Amino acid sequence: MEKKPHFVRREFLPREVPSISLALLLAAVLLLNALLYLYLNKFYNSLGRVETDSGLCPFGHFKFGAVKNCSPWLSCEAINREVRKLKCVGEGAVKKVFLSEWKEKKVVLSQLTNSELKEDFLHGLKMLKALQSKHVVRLLGYCEQQFTILTEYHPLGSLRGLNETLHIPKYKGMNTWHRRLMLAIDYVSVIRYLHSSPLGTLVMCDSNDLDKVLSQYLLTSDFHVLVNDLDALPLVNRSAGRLVKCGHRELRGEFVAPEQRWPYGEDVPFEDDLMPPYDEKTDIWKIPDVSNFFLGHVEGSDIVRLHLFDIHAACKKKDPAERPSAQEVLDTYRKVLTLLIREAAMPGTREML
């Protein structure tokens, strides 16, 4: 039997090698997509943070740290007997805040300082009790008679110190566009939760400038955002014709929404009774400014801003009705994160194919 020429077998090798390489490349792309899907699924389950989380205790109870069992909120008697003040760590118009200790654990004790603002204090307590979720600081106990609230302690403090925290050597690895965008997603998640809360549509009124907004939120040790101060959280009820006004004084500046500013010009003195009320879309107006702070000026943050340009432009529409909902903003933020993570995981793949 006549043997085939040796060169015939070599003729097919150059054609087979690219086919094998392409198959391996496609397999790698599919594997990366699968891993990316699993990562993002886990990410949204933890970061997206379902409001009715199974790890939360029943109403009127709490747990934190490594403790598995839920305990009832501490009463007046328990707070007076078991909680020890360590030092004052802050004071606002409504309350003074003390770093304290309970059963060898650091906690935060807040006490009313101005009796004229006791309604604000009690409103904040009411909101804190009703809105317990993964978006809200954990309530440990309270005493209405003594105007005292006990909450979980977060050593990284409010979001005002975010940039300083990210420059600490221990946390420098967190100072990336990816982590900063995740914090912005957390913030918008809180707004979305307040706008669709168990109590109805709530407006974050303590937000007349960026510094004030940042002071209302805490940064947790695992780099999540919690809302901490709920003293000024009025309810919008459109079906009942109920809108809100954030305080009784004139608000100025570009940070507050246009509908929050006096509409009758400089020649007409401000009168609270003449000031038109508004709805939760004031919170949407402020999202781009707060997110711009979150994104900072790290490598990649300008690319994120570019991808968020359209949704942020929509947030800044003068007509509140034309602005997106918090859910729409959140959905866009998540899509941008997914897109940018995919591009970072598979750079140049499109060109290679």
Side-chain angles (χ1 to χ4, degrees), residues 25 29 342-353:
L25 179 60
V29 169
R342 183 180 290 122
E343 289 182 352
M346 297 179 291
T349 301
R350 188 176 302 169
E351 289 78 3
M352 292 170 69
L353 292 174

Side-chain angles (χ1 to χ4, degrees), residues 304-317 324 332:
V304 179
R305 286 185 179 90
L306 185 63
H307 281 81
L308 296 177
F309 180 84
D310 289 341
I311 192 67
H312 283 173
C315 291
K316 291 294 187 179
K317 294 279 189 181
T332 301

Side-chain angles (χ1 to χ4, degrees), residues 81 166 220 268:
R81 185 181 64 249
L166 289 172
T220 67
V268 181

Side-chain angles (χ1 to χ4, degrees), residues 159 162-163 176-177 179-189 191 210 213-214 255 283-298 301-302 304-305 308-309 311-312 315-316 329-330 332-333:
L159 288 176
L162 174 63
N163 288 323
T176 64
W177 70 263
R179 178 59 65 172
R180 283 176 171 271
L181 179 54
M182 287 167 67
L183 290 174
I185 289 174
D186 255 5
Y187 165 72
V188 177
S189 296
I191 299 298
L210 178 61
V213 170
L214 299 175
F255 187 83
D283 289 334
I284 304 300
W285 171 273
K286 298 160 189 174
I287 285 175
D289 299 291
V290 180
S291 289
N292 187 54
F293 167 81
F294 278 120
L295 292 175
H297 300 284
V298 297
S301 62
D302 286 342
V304 179
R305 286 185 179 90
L308 296 177
F309 180 84
I311 192 67
H312 283 173
C315 291
K316 291 294 187 179
V329 178
L330 181 60
T332 301
Y333 274 39

Side-chain angles (χ1 to χ4, degrees), residues 237-337:
N237 188 337
R238 285 192 187 82
S239 60
R242 183 194 301 165
L243 299 178
V244 304
K245 287 192 286 187
C246 291
H248 305 288
R249 298 178 181 179
E250 183 178 1
L251 301 179
R252 296 176 178 268
E254 292 299 314
F255 187 83
V256 296
E259 64 271 22
Q260 292 185 281
R261 303 170 209 155
W262 180 243
Y264 304 117
E266 295 289 339
D267 296 334
V268 181
F270 177 82
E271 287 188 43
D272 184 42
D273 291 340
L274 298 179
M275 180 67 199
Y278 33 83
D279 63 17
E280 77 280 2
K281 290 298 183 74
T282 58
D283 289 334
I284 304 300
W285 171 273
K286 298 160 189 174
I287 285 175
D289 299 291
V290 180
S291 289
N292 187 54
F293 167 81
F294 278 120
L295 292 175
H297 300 284
V298 297
E299 183 180 355
S301 62
D302 286 342
I303 299 298
V304 179
R305 286 185 179 90
L306 185 63
H307 281 81
L308 296 177
F309 180 84
D310 289 341
I311 192 67
H312 283 173
C315 291
K316 291 294 187 179
K317 294 279 189 181
K318 188 171 183 180
D319 183 355
E322 295 181 5
R323 295 173 205 153
S325 67
Q327 183 64 62
E328 290 171 323
V329 178
L330 181 60
D331 290 342
T332 301
Y333 274 39
R334 287 174 168 171
K335 287 176 183 176
V336 168
L337 177 65

Side-chain angles (χ1 to χ4, degrees), residues 88-337:
C88 179
V89 292
E91 183 173 3
V94 178
K95 53 187 178 287
K96 186 178 287 189
V97 180
F98 297 90
L99 175 62
S100 305
E101 193 174 59
W102 174 71
K103 293 188 175 180
E104 299 183 349
K105 296 182 180 69
K106 296 289 192 303
V107 293
V108 174
L109 188 72
S110 302
Q111 292 184 317
L112 178 69
T113 54
N114 186 346
S115 59
E116 294 180 2
L117 297 175
K118 64 182 180 181
E119 292 304 320
D120 295 57
F121 184 90
L122 292 175
H123 176 74
L125 173 58
K126 177 185 175 183
M127 295 294 105
L128 197 53
K129 290 192 291 184
L131 298 176
Q132 283 295 287
S133 70
K134 284 195 171 183
H135 301 292
V136 179
V137 69
R138 188 171 284 122
L139 178 65
L140 307 180
Y142 64 92
C143 180
E144 284 194 36
Q145 298 93 313
Q146 298 174 9
F147 297 99
T148 298
I149 299 173
L150 193 71
T151 54
E152 189 174 10
Y153 171 62
H154 293 279
L156 296 183
S158 80
L159 288 176
R160 284 189 295 191
L162 174 63
N163 288 323
E164 289 76 10
T165 297
L166 289 172
H167 282 95
I168 297 173
K170 179 181 177 181
Y171 299 110
K172 278 189 175 181
M174 297 286 195
N175 196 18
T176 64
W177 70 263
H178 173 243
R179 178 59 65 172
R180 283 176 171 271
L181 179 54
M182 287 167 67
L183 290 174
I185 289 174
D186 255 5
Y187 165 72
V188 177
S189 296
V190 173
I191 299 298
R192 188 278 313 267
Y193 175 61
L194 295 178
H195 288 185
S196 57
S197 82
L199 301 177
T201 302
L202 299 166
V203 182
M204 194 65 176
C205 265
D206 256 346
S207 56
N208 298 335
D209 57 64
L210 178 61
D211 192 63
K212 186 64 175 174
V213 170
L214 299 175
S215 71
Q216 309 301 303
Y217 296 86
L218 295 172
L219 179 64
T220 67
S221 296
D222 59 349
F223 271 69
H224 284 300
V225 174
L226 297 175
V227 63
N228 181 51
D229 196 329
L230 304 174
D231 294 345
L233 211 61
L235 179 69
V236 169
N237 188 337
R238 285 192 187 82
S239 60
R242 183 194 301 165
L243 299 178
V244 304
K245 287 192 286 187
C246 291
H248 305 288
R249 298 178 181 179
E250 183 178 1
L251 301 179
R252 296 176 178 268
E254 292 299 314
F255 187 83
V256 296
E259 64 271 22
Q260 292 185 281
R261 303 170 209 155
W262 180 243
Y264 304 117
E266 295 289 339
D267 296 334
V268 181
F270 177 82
E271 287 188 43
D272 184 42
D273 291 340
L274 298 179
M275 180 67 199
Y278 33 83
D279 63 17
E280 77 280 2
K281 290 298 183 74
T282 58
D283 289 334
I284 304 300
W285 171 273
K286 298 160 189 174
I287 285 175
D289 299 291
V290 180
S291 289
N292 187 54
F293 167 81
F294 278 120
L295 292 175
H297 300 284
V298 297
E299 183 180 355
S301 62
D302 286 342
I303 299 298
V304 179
R305 286 185 179 90
L306 185 63
H307 281 81
L308 296 177
F309 180 84
D310 289 341
I311 192 67
H312 283 173
C315 291
K316 291 294 187 179
K317 294 279 189 181
K318 188 171 183 180
D319 183 355
E322 295 181 5
R323 295 173 205 153
S325 67
Q327 183 64 62
E328 290 171 323
V329 178
L330 181 60
D331 290 342
T332 301
Y333 274 39
R334 287 174 168 171
K335 287 176 183 176
V336 168
L337 177 65

